[in-house]
Amino acid sequence: MKTREFWYLMAPSLLVMGGLLAFPLFRTVQWSLEEVAYGTGGSFIGFDNYAAALTDARFGRAVVFTISTTLIVTAILLVLGYLIAVGLNRLGKTRPLVLGILLVSYVLPSLVAAVAFSWLFNDNFGGVVNRLIEFFGGEQVLWFTDPFWNQVLIIANEVWTLQPFAMLIILAGLQGVPEEIKEAARIDGANGFQTHLHIIIPTIRGVMGFVTLIAIMDVLRVFDSLVALSPQASVIGNESIQLYVYSVAFANGAQNLGLGSAINVLTILIILVMLIPFIRGIFKEAKAAR
Amino acid sequence: MPFTQKRLITVVAGAAAVAVALTGCGAGTRTTNENSTEVACDYTQPESATTVNVLAYNSSAIDPFTDTMVESCSTGNVTLVHDPIDFGGQVTKTTATLSGDSGTYDILENYGFAIPGQASEDKLVPLNDLFDKYSEKYALDELSESMLSALTYDGQLYALPMQGQMFILAYREDVFDELGLEVPTTFGEMMSAAQAIRDAGTMEYPIALPWLATSDVSTSFQAMMNSLGSDFVDTDGNVTLDTDEARTALGIMTELKQYMDPQVLTFDQPAVQQQMFNGTAAMSIMFSGRMSDLTLEANSEYFDDIAFAAPPKATAEAEYAYNRVSIDGWSIPFNTELDHDMLFEMMASSVGEEASAASVPAAYPARAGMVTDENSPYGTAANESIVSVMPAIVSPILADVSVATTDTLANILLGNISIEDGLAQMQTQGEGVR
């Protein structure tokens, strides 16, 4: 391919990337250093927005909540996703049917899914889970106001909605594991658990890394589901970073676009820090493949 | 042509026809309401095709007016468009559309609490001249004086009132009759009634109030302060959140909590309605726009057992009732490019006598004397409620003070901060507004 042809073909992609990624990123960084309201030109205020965010205890609580939720959900997704994928991989003709059922929660809009999920725990709307707890003699659980149980509820919802994705990708990975190496492990005397731990999981390491990467990015951006699952998130400290941005920058007629941008830049940095191990891994693999 | 290809073309053509039809249906409102009607909307037609974008949140009290306007005024070259949206979304969109030199909307549903702030920043078109010009044609002199004044700032009308909402007490008449209880006129009596209901084993949490930690709880605190003759700011704009009235109001709210669901700070008005539908609460106080739903058989088996009264006072000595009156009206944003006369006539036609009459009982129209005991199950309660409210304090910073202090208020009610410390914090937060 000639250089000119290459650039002709690449130009549309570069334009789209520039318009949808680079330019908004540039404006976000620019606004983070300004005081900006809707429809007005910003005025430069240096690092005041960053100082405001970093000295707000609410932002600190949002960071702790978001990161702890992300780590727990990601760990559960990997373990549960792997177990379900292994089970599904063993199914025969019923696999498409079971797979279809398991995918339902993934295709629902996240707010709709969260509202439906919250009703399982809400006495006003039946509260099936509460009825079960009551039936087995348990105490009333304050799912929406107790910070611990509310985080459990949020984690459960995230796992419920993201599990199909993790399971699907891991299933694809499992189907790519050569039968020969599993057979070799059996001949060498490895039991089922050892085969999974030492043979299959290392073989699909790349797939597991991909699932981890996507899960971290997805959970770090959790926002709309909290509207239904944690109506008083800011008060009990179960506010995600994105919900915090919305609350201080946009909600109730607020117009702190500069502050919101500063928090977004900080969020990007947090995401990058959390993804460094995986990004390094990808670079290493790419280098080795050359 | 092979059969499958023919069939494919037929399917594609059919889908295209349906899409075109649906696009056509998309013009106009996407909600329908049995309390809306067709009225004459007789404005001067523009020469070219024109779209009028209407921003109004969806509720049983607002929809009748929105639907009447959109359906009746979409004529000739003009199409009115209204998409469903909730109240929170409307607040955000209103801020956004009023921010630039060009906006997205041409007619805004607005309310008294927000108007002083928007008017003081010249975000709305003053309506006095248009009101005078079209007063006779649309019988605007029959609109309630108090509702007109609630939408007036610095001598200028900034919204044409459609309807008002006031607090109303809804209670289970069957439970009260069975236990020989009187309808409460103070919160002390309300808590005594709640205790009696609890003692009888009828309900664990007989009182239901919308105290959502991010919004409604602030309105409730303000209503309690209003009952005691005070507000978040005084008439000079000074923040008054460290006063005895604020202290007393918070004391009553804290005491009320013991008769309410432990998760009450997550309940907005629909959640409180649901408690009444389910029969898990015997008393609730909400805006009148929520009352019509309580009387519908489709919503609850208790629809016939729910009665209505004016809201109680904070204390027996209080001058006013625990109450807020929210007046809703139509505004013209300063940045619309459309003809103001045309927009005003659309707004005026939707608040005409015919449209207002059709909106009852879902709404309490701005035309005086339209709601009675005969045409509304809560008509008497609404009429008694509206005369028991403290006159509104008009201040451009009131809404911002409310937003700035809401989290602290919620923390006080959750017991995370003492009343004294909390009030001091709220005073500082309020004074920090602009």
Side-chain angles (χ1 to χ4, degrees), chain A residues 89-124:
Chain A
N89 203 28
R90 289 180 180 170
L91 289 180
K93 288 180 181 174
T94 55
R95 189 193 296 165
L97 178 69
V98 177
L99 201 56
I101 293 169
L102 288 174
L103 284 173
V104 168
S105 63
Y106 190 62
V107 296
L108 286 172
S110 63
L111 183 59
V112 174
V115 169
F117 194 78
S118 73
W119 288 353
L120 296 172
F121 303 82
N122 188 331
D123 284 330
N124 253 355

Side-chain angles (χ1 to χ4, degrees), chain B residues 17 95 127 145 182 192 196 243 317 336 340 348 357:
Chain B
T95 308
L127 302 177
E145 273 300 321
E182 295 289 325
S192 299
T243 58
E317 298 77 32
T336 178
H340 293 174

Side-chain angles (χ1 to χ4, degrees), chain B residues 61-73:
Chain B
I62 302 297
D63 290 346
F65 300 95
T66 313
D67 292 348
T68 295
M69 177 164 47
V70 171
E71 294 297 335
S72 305
C73 299

